[in-house]
Amino acid sequence: MTLHIYFAKKFFQSFIIVLSVLLIFLLLIDLVEQSRKFRNNDVYFSEIFQIILLNLPIQISEMLPLIIILATIALFITLARSNELVITRSAGRSGLRTLIAPSAVALLIGILAVSTLNPIVSVTSTYAERLSDLLKTGQTSALSISDTGLWFRQSGTDGQTVIYASRYDANLNTYFGVTFLTYEKEGRPIRRIEAESAKLIDGGWSLTNTKSWFLQATLNPENTAIESKTRHLPSTLTQEQIRETLGNPRGISIWNLPRTIQQLSHAGFSTQRHEIWLQSELSRPLFFLSMVLIASAFTMRPTRLSGSAKAILLTLLIGFGLYFIRNFALVLGENAQLPILLAAWAPSVAAMLLAIGLLLHTEDG
């Protein structure tokens, strides 16, 4: 048990060191990118730095497989150079037993990434996107879904407009049971419009069978209500923006994803991307475990300097290859060219089986 704890501590230390080094590079790269993005806008450095900090969780989440594999390489190269692996094997401990502690830590990191880092990413990525839009254009648009329907918010010359639609028909590209409530900049409601249906085309809403109320305090809204067969309202929203926002599962916590999938399905939107994302997040601990096993298969033995370089290069190539295959399978799953469970779980399971095969070949010949 003492040796397991020792290897677990060594692996965790390697993980923290690799994470810290990559964080510095990520900060510098994102600083250059955000400075270039806002070079034509009057933006303070503190606002740019705020966006950079909000982007860090999602960047860390995407880099975790690379961090895991680099931490494993660093661990076993260090143990091999200090002859600790030789001493451990001389004491009668097999290489597979040596992997128990690093594998357990990798699984724990994967579980924390799914249960804790994922909700953090969903919040920070949403705030970063809204702050970026606000600094870039001076306007923000919000979209959300509830049990009763869809909610939008758009900016305009009159102020903010809150839009509600009870359901959406993807085949007709039409929203039904739509209500528009416009607020002044001071926050007072000034107009309400109800429409039987609405389409978002040509930079505006095309409404049918509408009724409008003016909500000034000196008027009776019902007496001044106006009915019309068709009406056009300008809008800063686009149908592509709505589909991309509602279809992007990264802004939704994994704890809320099952409920969101039900709500999107009820509202008429496709849930393929959300279901794929949910299953791929659940399979991450298994993928992290496979990264540890693959890295250890090439580095868990005494090597010379040239041998270490070849082992590291081969490990990174296989790791990047598996990461690419996993992402490619997810794309095929999003496009309904592969079943959801197969697209999400098969790469992780295949990577783990490949790693176990390499380890058995290395250990037993």
Side-chain angles (χ1 to χ4, degrees), residues 24-39:
I24 296 174
F25 281 103
L26 289 175
L27 283 171
L28 294 176
I29 293 172
D30 203 22
L31 176 61
V32 174
E33 175 63 23
Q34 296 299 331
S35 299
R36 183 195 62 79
K37 182 179 179 180
F38 293 103
R39 67 180 182 272

Side-chain angles (χ1 to χ4, degrees), residues 300-321:
M300 195 176 59
R301 60 181 184 270
T303 55
R304 298 179 178 273
L305 182 61
S306 58
S308 298
K310 292 178 181 178
I312 292 172
L313 179 59
L314 189 57
T315 303
L316 291 176
L317 288 176
I318 293 177
F320 278 116

Side-chain angles (χ1 to χ4, degrees), residues 11-208:
F11 178 74
F12 187 70
Q13 289 173 359
S14 299
F15 176 81
I16 294 298
I17 292 173
V18 174
L19 176 61
S20 302
V21 173
L22 287 180
L23 274 180
I24 296 174
F25 281 103
L26 289 175
L27 283 171
L28 294 176
I29 293 172
D30 203 22
L31 176 61
V32 174
E33 175 63 23
Q34 296 299 331
S35 299
R36 183 195 62 79
K37 182 179 179 180
F38 293 103
R39 67 180 182 272
N40 296 326
N41 300 83
D42 187 14
V43 179
Y44 294 105
F45 176 78
S46 59
E47 296 171 327
I48 294 179
F49 192 69
Q50 185 178 355
I51 295 177
I52 294 173
L53 292 180
L54 290 172
N55 284 334
L56 269 183
I58 189 171
Q59 293 175 339
I60 293 173
S61 179
E62 292 176 349
M63 296 287 287
L64 273 179
L66 175 62
I67 296 172
I68 291 289
I69 203 168
L70 288 177
T72 307
I73 292 173
L75 169 67
F76 286 109
I77 291 295
T78 302
L79 293 178
R81 293 295 172 80
S82 63
N83 293 322
E84 289 176 277
L85 280 178
V86 175
I87 296 172
T88 302
R89 290 176 182 272
S90 300
R93 183 179 290 268
S94 67
L96 294 178
R97 288 186 63 190
T98 305
L99 286 173
I100 293 177
S103 299
V105 175
L107 280 174
L108 179 60
I109 292 172
I111 293 171
L112 290 175
V114 175
S115 63
T116 305
L117 182 60
N118 178 275
I120 294 174
V121 167
S122 66
V123 174
T124 56
S125 61
T126 301
Y127 275 109
E129 184 177 351
R130 291 180 182 177
L131 181 58
S132 180
D133 290 341
L134 182 63
L135 295 176
K136 192 75 174 178
T137 64
Q139 297 179 346
T140 59
S141 298
L143 300 93
S144 63
I145 187 168
S146 66
D147 292 328
T148 58
L150 303 169
W151 294 88
F152 313 130
R153 189 183 73 239
Q154 67 180 28
S155 302
T157 56
D158 296 334
Q160 296 282 335
T161 299
V162 176
I163 306 168
Y164 165 77
S166 61
R167 65 184 181 90
Y168 171 74
D169 191 323
N171 295 324
L172 300 176
N173 195 24
T174 303
Y175 300 86
F176 294 94
V178 187
T179 299
F180 295 79
L181 190 59
T182 303
Y183 293 85
E184 288 180 328
K185 295 180 180 180
E186 293 78 12
R188 294 188 300 269
I190 58 174
R191 185 181 63 191
R192 174 175 177 169
I193 301 175
E194 290 189 358
E196 180 181 318
S197 63
K199 285 187 177 182
L200 190 56
I201 52 176
D202 299 330
W205 292 95
S206 178
L207 312 180
T208 58

Side-chain angles (χ1 to χ4, degrees), residues 230-247:
T230 60
R231 184 167 181 174
H232 182 81
L233 293 177
S235 175
T236 56
L237 294 172
T238 63
Q239 188 62 34
E240 290 74 17
Q241 180 184 2
I242 293 175
R243 287 176 178 171
E244 181 63 27
T245 302
L246 293 178

